[in-house]
Amino acid sequence: MCGIVGYIGPRNVKDVVVGGLAKLEYRGYDSSGIAAIDDGRIELAKSVGRLSNLEARLEEHPIGGHVAIGHTRWATHGKPSDENAHPHQDCSGRFALVHNGIVENYLSLREELIASGHEFRSETDTEVVVHLIEELYNGDLFQTMIAVGKRIRGAYALVVISKDHPDQIVAVRKASPMIIGLGDGENFVASDIPAVLQYTRDIYVMEDGEMAVLTRDSVECFTLDGEPVAKEVYKVTWDAVSAERGGYPHFMLKEIHEQPKAIRDTLRGRVNPDLGSVTLDELGIDAETVKAMDRIHIVACGTSWHAGLVGKVAIEQLARIPVNVEIASEYRYSNPIATPNTLVIAITQSGETADTLAAMREMKARGLRVLAITNVVGSSAAREADNVIVTWAGPEIAVASTKAYTTQLAALYLLAVHFAQVRGEIGEQAAHDMINALDNLPQVAEAVLDTAPQIHAFAQKYAESKDTFFIGRGIDYAVSLEGALKLKEISYIHAEAYAAGELKHGTLALITEGVPVVAIAMQPDLYEKTVSNIVEVKARGAFVLGLTWVGNEDLAKTVDEVIYLPKTHPTLAPLAAVIPLQLLAYYAAVARGNDVDKPRNLAKSVTVE
Ligand code: M6R
């Protein structure tokens, strides 16, 4: 976790670094800080809490100079506090360092450094690195960082400045994301592209195990052993404005409303209703491999894992390949049973989730093919996977994932139909129906957004509830899980999702007078069974909001309120059903006065295991 920005050049360093950090706050916002070399000294300012606290501090004590580094923190080692905020400094105040990641051997290093006289000010793992720099410093910052790299274990993006070298920044990347922005007479380093987009579109994406030396006029890249590395410039084509709020009060609401476009962009050029086929040329998995595939393991975390649960149903129903869906942090350590013909699908919006990357690496090391479904083209997942499907959702800024989920579903549906067609598991008419339904998904999402006022009214009424339950059967249960996660994540209301038929095996005890239950009834085949379960909660006094397809007037006889959603193919229904659930979470969070885009204790991209 954490966001890093570094700058060397003629601009006001505070504006560049703090402005860049503002674009990275999604990576953590427990504290922030900046260090700049000003008049031969390192000036430091840091503050616990939001970036605005740091800005207020900088108003009182401005910082100048032409080289600076900054950091926004998501706490791992040590509570959020001024002392634990980055940048960290050595005893002599000669160096300042920012870090994203975890130094795994920090305790033994700390003992060693204390024994040789270093005094520590924070509880962080990071501080050992800056003392180690001081300890190993030989007058050459670059060479010192090579030596430091050999002593530390773990994941890190490190950026260091020294008052002895006021004309350079040294950056090191091992397993934590880092990019370099190339300017004219100025250069930038950051955890992610939005931090530098205002100034440059020419980027070096740092690979795992690379380091760089930045001056105003040059950027040189090396391996961690100091061997020169030739880099290609990646030209950013996406629009900086698309990463802004665009008139909505919160990024989350903007991103919910962007879903029709995001789905359309993800399907574009990949569904051919006229030909009745799916085109996934970029996939790069040949027909023989698809036919030989005997199982699929989907690995992911959080919302992406929920997308995987829907994907499982789609792939099993259409392509008849058995699918396991695994939580990435569990999968890696579970010694999973795989055959040589197992395909691992890693789903990750950011492409930087440490748990998912670790699972991918583990399975790649075992010789398995790994396909990444990701929203970030240059991400670690995209670069490390054998095959990639990009979701074209555009940058997702709100911590609560919305358009990433629906575009992941779109990608998984495409994959399911493609596999089904290659393996001859789907007839011509069924394929045609499915492809037409897929092609219509952007319009479905558009129509679902019209339910917003009704959801808003419901959320106002139930925003003070202590608990909420989400129920559904089959693929509706998979989407219930996502509804419950969204509500918990941003409204802080306790929420549980249940396979509707499972309630009577225990959870029914929690249903009392007035408890809100959201019942998803989008599967005609399972409809009557679902209604029986709704009757069970109604009998215990629950207030039930039902979701069903337009034209199904029957549900209104059982539930208290109905949201009608456009009818689509039942397998695709989660894409429609999830949108009211996202809106419910959003409006409940707003009604409770929560910080919707930056919920407590969470960060957008979880780059620690
Ligand atoms: O970037 P990823 O898709 O790998 O992220 C995985 C989860 O951390 C993420 O989906 C998280 O659960 C969301 N905040 C949920 O809204």
Side-chain angles (χ1 to χ4, degrees), residues 244-530:
E244 302 298 333
R245 274 206 296 270
Y248 286 93
H250 299 97
F251 279 113
M252 184 183 177
L253 191 61
K254 171 175 177 271
E255 288 161 7
I256 289 173
H257 282 268
E258 281 172 351
Q259 289 180 106
K261 176 178 184 303
I263 297 161
R264 191 171 291 117
D265 289 346
T266 301
L267 295 175
R268 181 169 296 120
R270 291 165 164 174
V271 278
N272 312 306
D274 298 340
L275 301 175
S277 66
V278 159
T279 309
L280 276 179
D281 290 342
E282 80 269 31
L283 182 62
I285 306 182
D286 62 37
E288 286 319 303
T289 308
V290 173
K291 284 181 192 154
M293 218 174 266
D294 55 9
R295 66 179 78 180
I296 291 175
H297 289 181
I298 296 181
V299 292
C301 305
T303 287
S304 296
W305 180 67
H306 292 158
L309 295 172
V310 174
K312 169 188 164 76
V313 179
I315 294 170
E316 288 187 341
Q317 282 179 1
L318 296 170
R320 308 305 296 164
I321 307 171
V323 181
N324 292 353
V325 189
E326 309 284 349
I327 292 172
S329 55
E330 293 290 319
Y331 180 75
R332 186 194 174 186
Y333 300 102
S334 67
N335 192 12
I337 300 169
T339 66
N341 292 323
T342 298
L343 173 69
V344 177
I345 303 180
I347 308 176
T348 166
Q349 185 283 131
S350 60
E352 301 294 350
T353 299
D355 289 324
T356 307
L357 290 175
M360 282 176 65
R361 288 170 187 153
E362 175 75 24
M363 297 323 274
K364 268 192 71 107
R366 291 196 191 192
L368 293 185
R369 178 188 288 274
V370 176
L371 160 66
I373 297 181
T374 182
N375 194 37
V376 181
V377 178
S379 63
S380 301
R383 283 179 290 119
E384 291 180 29
D386 299 290
N387 309 97
V388 180
I389 298 182
V390 176
T391 53
W392 295 110
E396 192 181 65
I397 306 294
V399 166
S401 192
T402 53
K403 60 179 181 170
Y405 174 82
T406 43
T407 54
Q408 285 165 351
L409 294 195
L412 286 160
Y413 292 140
L414 288 168
L415 200 62
V417 176
H418 174 67
F419 284 170
Q421 288 193 310
V422 173
R423 292 165 70 97
E425 290 287 354
I426 189 167
E428 213 172 295
Q429 188 57 49
H432 213 270
D433 292 348
M434 182 54 99
I435 283 160
N436 276 324
L438 268 173
D439 194 45
N440 194 41
L441 280 177
Q443 288 84 297
V444 167
E446 198 87 59
V448 175
L449 287 169
D450 293 342
T451 62
Q454 199 185 346
I455 303 283
H456 188 195
F458 179 84
Q460 297 287 104
K461 250 191 286 174
Y462 282 92
E464 293 313 319
S465 304
K466 263 181 71 228
D467 308 289
T468 298
F469 293 86
F470 293 77
I471 60 171
R473 279 174 173 257
I475 207 165
D476 288 347
Y477 166 53
V479 82
S480 309
L481 286 161
E482 176 58 8
L485 173 62
K486 270 316 70 105
L487 193 68
K488 284 183 270 207
E489 188 178 19
I490 57 168
S491 77
Y492 316 145
I493 297 172
H494 169 246
E496 300 254 14
Y498 272 90
E502 184 65 10
L503 278 178
K504 58 187 176 293
H505 298 289
T507 313
L508 211 46
L510 295 176
I511 305 293
T512 52
E513 197 59 39
V515 167
V517 173
V518 179
I520 304 167
M522 294 292 284
Q523 304 298 308
D525 285 359
L526 297 167
Y527 177 71
E528 285 179 2
K529 292 277 179 215
T530 307

Side-chain angles (χ1 to χ4, degrees), residues 164-322:
D164 290 359
H165 305 273
D167 50 359
Q168 72 174 207
I169 295 178
V170 179
V172 187
R173 179 199 162 160
K174 191 172 166 218
S176 293
M178 183 184 272
I179 60 98
I180 288 176
L182 305 167
D184 188 7
E186 59 181 352
N187 286 301
F188 310 78
V189 56
S191 301
D192 201 356
I193 293 171
V196 304
L197 209 48
Q198 189 184 344
Y199 307 105
T200 180
R201 294 180 164 270
D202 290 346
I203 301 293
Y204 283 162
V205 177
M206 297 283 285
E207 298 292 337
D208 204 9
E210 286 184 352
M211 56 193 297
V213 178
L214 290 76
T215 67
R216 278 182 177 218
D217 298 311
S218 67
V219 174
E220 291 177 286
C221 296
F222 305 89
T223 64
L224 296 185
D225 290 324
E227 294 299 322
V229 174
K231 302 288 293 178
E232 272 182 30
V233 177
Y234 167 61
K235 283 236 173 254
V236 180
T237 50
W238 35 274
D239 181 4
V241 180
S242 73
E244 302 298 333
R245 274 206 296 270
Y248 286 93
H250 299 97
F251 279 113
M252 184 183 177
L253 191 61
K254 171 175 177 271
E255 288 161 7
I256 289 173
H257 282 268
E258 281 172 351
Q259 289 180 106
K261 176 178 184 303
I263 297 161
R264 191 171 291 117
D265 289 346
T266 301
L267 295 175
R268 181 169 296 120
R270 291 165 164 174
V271 278
N272 312 306
D274 298 340
L275 301 175
S277 66
V278 159
T279 309
L280 276 179
D281 290 342
E282 80 269 31
L283 182 62
I285 306 182
D286 62 37
E288 286 319 303
T289 308
V290 173
K291 284 181 192 154
M293 218 174 266
D294 55 9
R295 66 179 78 180
I296 291 175
H297 289 181
I298 296 181
V299 292
C301 305
T303 287
S304 296
W305 180 67
H306 292 158
L309 295 172
V310 174
K312 169 188 164 76
V313 179
I315 294 170
E316 288 187 341
Q317 282 179 1
L318 296 170
R320 308 305 296 164
I321 307 171

